[in-house]
Amino acid sequence: MSLPGKEIHRGYDEFGVIRVLDDGNKRYLSFGEVDEQSCLLKSEPHIPQHEYVRAMLLVLLFCEPKRCITLGLGAGSLTSCLHHHLPSLKQEVVELRAGVIHAAYKYFQLPRSKRLVLHHLDAQDFLQSVESKKADVIFSDIYGADGLDEQQLQPDFIHECYHRLKPGGWLVLNCWRDHQSEATLAMLGELFSDIRSCATQSGNWVIFAGNSVNTQSAKQLKAQARELSQQLGFSFSPQLSKLKNHVNT
């Protein structure tokens, strides 16, 4: 099945093709002929269209970040949403492919701002070699044409992320349902004290790992989700209903 819209950009690098398509209302980023990596609604560019991005934003129920790190840019829908709705937030974003950075700026309205620092680097290289202030949230969403970059489920990677978080910080990992396992949860549990997950209809498995326990009740989270839904312009109810708590399980 081909992607919708007309191709308006095609670039190549050592990792493959980078395509941008436009159907009039939406723009799509693709790393192949059939995959849809990111989607932008042109009339409302700050509202994420993919369910997994909305699920990743559930972390805003657990903390009010002043600084975050995002590993993997894509078209920048997560980054743009955060930049638009959280004006005091400072972001560092890490992206391996220069062509993806170019496409995000040119075709997907990625903001240029002093509050947003973009590193053209491999995520692991960034974690190991670039010094920066500790973050309240680290988002890891590293994908290529063949799917998830397995480095983001390796113990060394998880350890590096853990040590870059402030007290009360959260690591958010976007994985596939294929990666659901007790082994993954056990590995995270060696470092993190609060672990939750959300499985989306689109096949993603989003993990939230906090270095301290969030004590809000289900009722409190639901009320907070209503407020956040109004702020961000979409409902969190579908994602919140699928949020599973793995603490003490």
Side-chain angles (χ1 to χ4, degrees):
M1 186 177 74
S2 61
L3 291 168
K6 176 184 178 182
E7 184 174 285
I8 59 172
H9 170 77
R10 178 182 286 252
Y12 295 92
D13 62 15
E14 61 186 295
F15 304 101
V17 66
I18 299 167
R19 304 172 68 213
V20 179
L21 299 99
D22 191 311
D23 68 3
N25 295 316
K26 294 180 178 180
R27 280 190 176 165
Y28 308 88
L29 177 70
S30 174
F31 295 155
E33 297 304 314
V34 295
D35 77 299
E36 183 180 309
Q37 188 71 24
S38 300
C39 177
L40 170 83
L41 181 62
K42 290 158 68 175
S43 61
E44 295 181 299
H46 308 302
I47 298 180
Q49 299 302 300
H50 283 170
E51 185 188 7
Y52 79 86
V53 180
R54 297 184 179 192
M56 294 177 79
L57 287 164
L58 282 173
V59 75
L60 299 179
L61 300 178
F62 308 138
C63 69
E64 297 180 7
K66 298 299 181 185
R67 183 176 296 274
C68 75
I69 296 170
T70 300
L71 307 173
L73 173 65
S77 57
L78 175 67
T79 299
S80 294
C81 176
L82 291 168
H83 184 272
H84 181 76
H85 292 290
L86 302 179
S88 64
L89 179 68
K90 294 182 179 179
Q91 299 189 70
E92 286 190 88
V93 183
V94 184
E95 172 56 48
L96 175 64
R97 305 175 70 178
V100 170
I101 296 172
H102 167 76
Y105 278 129
K106 185 170 183 179
Y107 299 103
F108 294 95
Q109 303 182 36
L110 183 70
R112 296 182 185 271
S113 167
K114 292 180 180 179
R115 294 192 289 117
L116 172 57
V117 177
L118 216 161
H119 301 272
H120 175 208
L121 276 174
D122 175 77
Q124 189 78 54
D125 291 343
F126 169 83
L127 291 172
Q128 292 177 347
S129 64
V130 178
E131 293 188 9
S132 62
K133 292 182 179 179
K134 291 194 174 186
D136 300 289
V137 180
I138 296 177
F139 297 99
S140 187
D141 184 23
I142 313 173
Y143 279 75
D146 298 324
L148 177 73
D149 186 329
E150 297 288 345
Q151 72 170 308
Q152 76 173 25
L153 288 176
Q154 298 303 311
D156 288 350
F157 182 91
I158 299 298
H159 275 79
E160 293 284 355
C161 289
Y162 175 82
H163 290 298
R164 282 182 177 262
L165 288 171
K166 297 178 187 177
W170 288 81
L171 171 62
V172 183
L173 299 166
N174 178 34
C175 307
W176 282 111
R177 285 191 184 179
D178 297 349
H179 299 99
Q180 290 188 62
S181 70
E182 292 300 322
T184 298
L185 296 173
M187 176 182 65
L188 290 165
E190 292 178 4
L191 295 171
F192 295 93
S193 52
D194 193 337
I195 301 172
R196 308 181 190 218
S197 68
C198 176
T200 71
Q201 288 186 332
S202 52
N204 297 80
W205 186 47
V206 178
I207 307 170
F208 308 88
N211 59 23
S212 61
V213 177
N214 183 281
T215 58
Q216 294 178 93
S217 66
K219 184 177 180 180
Q220 288 172 319
L221 287 174
K222 192 171 183 179
Q224 197 170 337
R226 283 197 295 269
E227 292 182 11
L228 197 60
S229 296
Q230 292 181 341
Q231 179 185 354
L232 269 59
F234 62 88
S235 175
F236 274 103
S237 294
Q239 290 75 43
L240 185 61
S241 66
K242 299 170 189 171
L243 188 64
K244 183 176 181 180
N245 193 336
H246 298 280
V247 176
N248 299 322
T249 60

